[in-house]
């Protein structure tokens, strides 16, 4: 983030009310506006519930659709345990970030990395967030286009919701649908200068994810009663070294499913009482982990070995129950709407980090309307073009999950803890940090190798 050069003003209380924007560590948006010319309304701080919804929306994105496939590869028991372990490591990594941010009076991820590793560390963290989030946002837009207008792959056309309802027309086509969604929904939502302004859409987004979960659970229960489900695989089937390596391909999906670190400081900066941030993180992780565990359990239970890498594609077939087509449309439409509302929350961090990279010595982004509008419109245009001209980036998405995402989520927080500039890390913290880095590097290296080998083999075939 970009601000002036005054020395930091220490907080006298834990309340964020009336906190002014000062120095490089100040939040992007002031709590109150002392300069009337800037045009801000008074803002006394975000509520606990609003912060929970924004952080939960940051977490729950496209990852939810890949987790049932992770459980299929690992088996039901190891798969669910892997989700719980990832949630625990996410909680600890965010705790490290908050603790060192408090010690250094720091209020951005980039400046936290600069405090530990200098300008290079700051730039590296901002580049990682930009790469990860732009890839994620392009994937979101591709999924939205696929769900609403349809897609073709492997010579098979999968009808979108609008095609199924009204048939093939120019106005149900992918390009037109994405233009309408971008101009009518994305453009207004990404124009907010405070992340707390998205709390209501974030609450609706979490609700839509729960709607998807409820439908999946309901379908599973109906099929259990009718005897249409088989016993799921509890543990992985390992036959050779290749099957062992394949287990590690779930790591990027698990990591991506829990990445929210890039918005932690933005949400913390706007929280009225900063002492509530630990509660916000744990409440969000508890909520999202519950949704992930139930979705993974019932998704794998419902489709078994036929579970696809994107479980949403399983809802394009006959479910074998009454009103199956209606439920299919409800699942796909609710998930597409969920991603539409996740988009601006993830976009917020991209804009902040792009500004930090390109305009590190300029005045705050929120106070420069031209710069704010220019960065916003350029990023939206890039994401829109990427979604329209890249047919499928699921493989790229998996590689970014194994590189940029794992750095943002685990390697950087663990490295900051090991650096321990403020001498506040305990022995347990450092041991856990070493474990995080070793686990992240080894597992993702194997995942990248396995994915590259599978892609090469597929091309040769």
């Amino acid at each position: 983030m970009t601000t002036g050069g005054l020395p930091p003003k220490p907080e006298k209380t834990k309340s964020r009310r009336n906190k002014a924007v000062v120095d490089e560590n100040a939040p992007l948006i002031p709590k109150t506006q002392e300069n009337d010319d800037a045009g801000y309304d008074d803002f006394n701080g975000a509520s606990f519930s609003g912060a929970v919804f924004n952080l939960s929306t940051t977490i729950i994105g496209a990852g939810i659709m890949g987790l049932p496939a992770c459980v299929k590869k690992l088996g039901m028991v190891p798969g669910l345990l892997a989700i719980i372990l990832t949630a625990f490591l996410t909680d600890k990594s965010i705790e490290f970030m908050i603790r060192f941010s408090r010690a250094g009076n720091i209020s951005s991820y980039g400046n936290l990395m600069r405090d530990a590793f200098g300008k290079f560390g700051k730039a590296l963290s901002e580049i990682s967030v930009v790469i990860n989030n732009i890839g994620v946002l392009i994937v979101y837009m591709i999924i939205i286009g696929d769900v609403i207008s349809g897609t073709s792959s492997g010579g098979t056309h999968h009808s979108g919701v609008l095609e199924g309802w009204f048939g093939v027309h120019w106005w149900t086509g992918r390009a037109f649908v994405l233009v309408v969604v971008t101009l009518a929904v994305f453009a207004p939502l990404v124009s907010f200068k405070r992340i707390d302004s998205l709390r209501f859409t974030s609450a609706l987004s979490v609700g839509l994810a729960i709607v998807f979960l409820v439908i999946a659970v309901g379908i599973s229960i109906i099929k259990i009663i009718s005897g249409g489900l088989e016993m799921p695989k509890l543990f992985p089937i390992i036959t050779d070294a290749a099957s062992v390596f394949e287990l590690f391909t779930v790591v990027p999906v698990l990591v991506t499913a829990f990445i929210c670190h890039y918005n932690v400081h933005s949400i913390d900066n706007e929280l009225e009482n900063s002492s509530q941030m630990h509660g916000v993180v744990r409440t969000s992780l508890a909520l999202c982990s519950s949704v992930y565990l139930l979705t993974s359990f019932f998704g794998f239970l419902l489709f078994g070995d036929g579970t696809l890498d994107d479980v949403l594609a399983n809802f394009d077939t006959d479910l074998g129950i009454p009103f199956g087509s209606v439920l299919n449309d409800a699942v796909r439409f609710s998930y597409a709407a969920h991603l539409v509302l996740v988009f601006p929350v993830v976009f917020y961090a991209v804009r902040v980090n792009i500004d930090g990279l390109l305009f590190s010595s300029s005045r705050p982004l929120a106070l420069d309307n031209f710069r704010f509008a220019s960065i916003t419109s350029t990023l939206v245009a890039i994401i829109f073009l990427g979604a329209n001209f890249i047919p499928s980036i699921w493989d790229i998405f998996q590689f970014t999950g194994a590189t940029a995402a794992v750095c943002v989520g685990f390697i950087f927080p663990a490295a900051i803890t090991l650096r321990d500039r403020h001498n506040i890390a305990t022995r347990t913290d450092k041991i856990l940090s070493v474990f995080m880095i070793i686990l992240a590097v080894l597992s993702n290296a194997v995942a990248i190798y396995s994915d590259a080998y599978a892609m090469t083999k597929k091309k040769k075939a």
Side-chain angles (χ1 to χ4, degrees):
M1 301 189 208
T2 56
T3 50
L6 296 175
K9 186 182 297 181
E11 291 184 51
K12 295 182 180 179
T13 66
K14 290 184 178 180
S15 174
R16 295 301 179 106
R17 190 181 297 271
N18 298 329
K19 182 179 178 182
V21 176
V22 292
D23 92 339
E24 65 188 7
N25 296 328
L28 176 65
I29 306 301
K31 294 297 183 189
T32 59
Q33 185 59 42
E34 295 177 354
N35 182 0
D36 293 335
D37 294 335
Y40 289 103
D41 296 326
D42 286 344
F43 176 59
N44 293 324
S47 64
F48 181 89
S49 60
V52 168
F53 284 129
N54 278 328
L55 190 59
S56 299
T57 299
T58 305
I59 297 172
I60 299 180
I64 190 174
M65 291 300 161
L67 290 176
C70 293
V71 174
K72 181 185 76 170
K73 289 185 179 182
L74 295 176
M76 184 69 82
V77 175
L80 298 181
L81 289 176
I83 294 173
I84 295 172
L85 175 62
T86 308
F88 168 75
L89 293 177
T90 301
D91 176 60
K92 295 304 295 184
S93 63
I94 295 176
E95 180 189 331
F96 293 157
M97 289 172 54
I98 295 174
R99 195 191 313 166
F100 280 90
S101 296
R102 296 282 190 267
N105 192 25
I106 297 166
S107 52
S108 76
Y109 198 164
N111 285 328
L112 180 61
M113 283 289 288
R114 178 164 63 181
D115 182 62
F117 302 105
K119 292 182 178 180
F120 174 78
K122 178 178 182 292
L124 184 61
S125 67
E126 290 170 338
I127 291 171
S128 297
V129 171
V130 170
I131 292 173
N132 177 74
N133 288 28
I134 287 181
V136 167
L137 291 174
I138 292 176
V139 169
Y140 286 0
M141 196 174 282
I142 287 175
I143 295 174
I144 291 166
D146 291 348
V147 170
I148 297 178
S149 65
T151 183
S152 298
S153 61
T156 303
H157 181 72
H158 300 275
S159 297
V161 174
L162 289 182
E163 282 188 2
W165 291 351
F166 304 107
V168 179
H169 302 283
W170 64 268
W171 48 271
T172 63
R174 181 189 194 84
F176 180 77
V177 166
L178 290 183
V179 167
V180 171
V181 171
T182 300
L183 296 179
V185 184
F186 291 156
L189 291 180
V190 300
S191 299
F192 288 116
K193 294 184 177 181
R194 286 195 296 263
I195 196 169
D196 183 63
S197 301
L198 299 169
R199 63 191 182 279
F200 297 116
T201 57
S202 292
L204 179 58
S205 172
V206 174
L208 289 169
I210 294 175
V211 167
F212 162 75
L213 172 61
V214 169
I215 294 174
V217 171
I219 294 171
S220 300
I221 292 174
I222 292 173
K223 299 203 75 170
I224 289 173
I225 294 174
S226 64
L229 294 180
E230 299 179 357
M231 182 67 179
K233 179 177 63 180
L234 297 181
F235 295 93
I237 299 174
I238 299 175
T239 56
D240 52 21
S243 61
V244 175
F245 288 151
E246 189 177 357
L247 298 179
F248 287 91
T249 60
V250 306
V251 175
V253 180
L254 287 168
V255 170
T256 304
F258 280 95
I259 290 298
C260 61
H261 303 64
Y262 48 79
N263 270 340
V264 167
H265 284 90
S266 297
I267 293 171
D268 183 30
N269 292 343
E270 297 183 6
L271 195 61
E272 180 179 6
N273 187 348
S274 61
S275 65
Q276 295 179 330
M277 192 59 198
H278 286 292
V280 168
V281 171
R282 291 186 176 175
T283 302
S284 298
L285 284 174
L287 172 61
C288 297
S289 298
S290 299
V291 172
Y292 283 166
L293 288 169
L294 290 171
T295 301
S296 302
F297 177 82
F298 285 102
F300 181 44
L301 181 67
L302 184 59
F303 300 111
D305 290 336
T307 304
L308 300 175
D309 290 341
D310 175 14
V311 75
L312 192 67
N314 286 108
F315 289 93
D316 191 31
T317 57
D318 183 9
L319 297 175
I321 62 172
F323 305 104
S325 61
V326 175
L327 292 175
N328 276 335
D329 288 344
V331 166
R332 292 187 292 165
F333 184 80
S334 64
Y335 182 64
H338 163 73
L339 288 185
V340 167
L341 300 178
V342 172
F343 188 97
V345 178
V346 178
F347 184 92
Y348 185 93
V350 180
R351 180 171 53 210
V352 169
N353 283 274
I354 283 286
D355 184 66
L357 277 170
L358 302 180
F359 306 101
S360 58
S361 59
S362 301
R363 63 175 179 158
L365 177 61
L367 304 180
D368 190 330
N369 291 331
F370 176 78
R371 197 167 90 240
F372 183 91
S374 299
I375 294 175
T376 300
S377 56
T378 301
L379 285 173
V380 170
I382 291 171
I383 294 165
F384 177 81
L385 291 174
N388 277 278
F389 291 100
I390 300 176
S392 175
I393 63 167
W394 281 106
D395 292 328
I396 298 176
F397 185 38
Q398 195 164 29
F399 279 109
T400 59
T403 52
V406 76
C407 287
V408 172
F410 299 105
I411 293 177
F412 292 162
I416 290 168
T417 305
L418 292 175
R419 178 74 167 168
D420 196 14
R421 284 260 290 107
H422 303 281
N423 297 317
I424 58 174
T426 65
R427 180 182 176 86
T428 303
D429 294 336
K430 293 186 177 182
I431 292 173
L432 183 58
S433 296
V434 171
F435 172 75
M436 277 187 192
I437 292 175
I438 293 175
L439 180 65
V441 172
L442 290 181
S443 60
N444 283 279
V446 175
I448 291 173
Y449 168 79
S450 182
D451 286 332
Y453 177 78
M455 291 174 63
T456 305
K457 190 175 180 180
K458 184 177 179 181
K459 286 182 179 179
K460 288 182 179 179

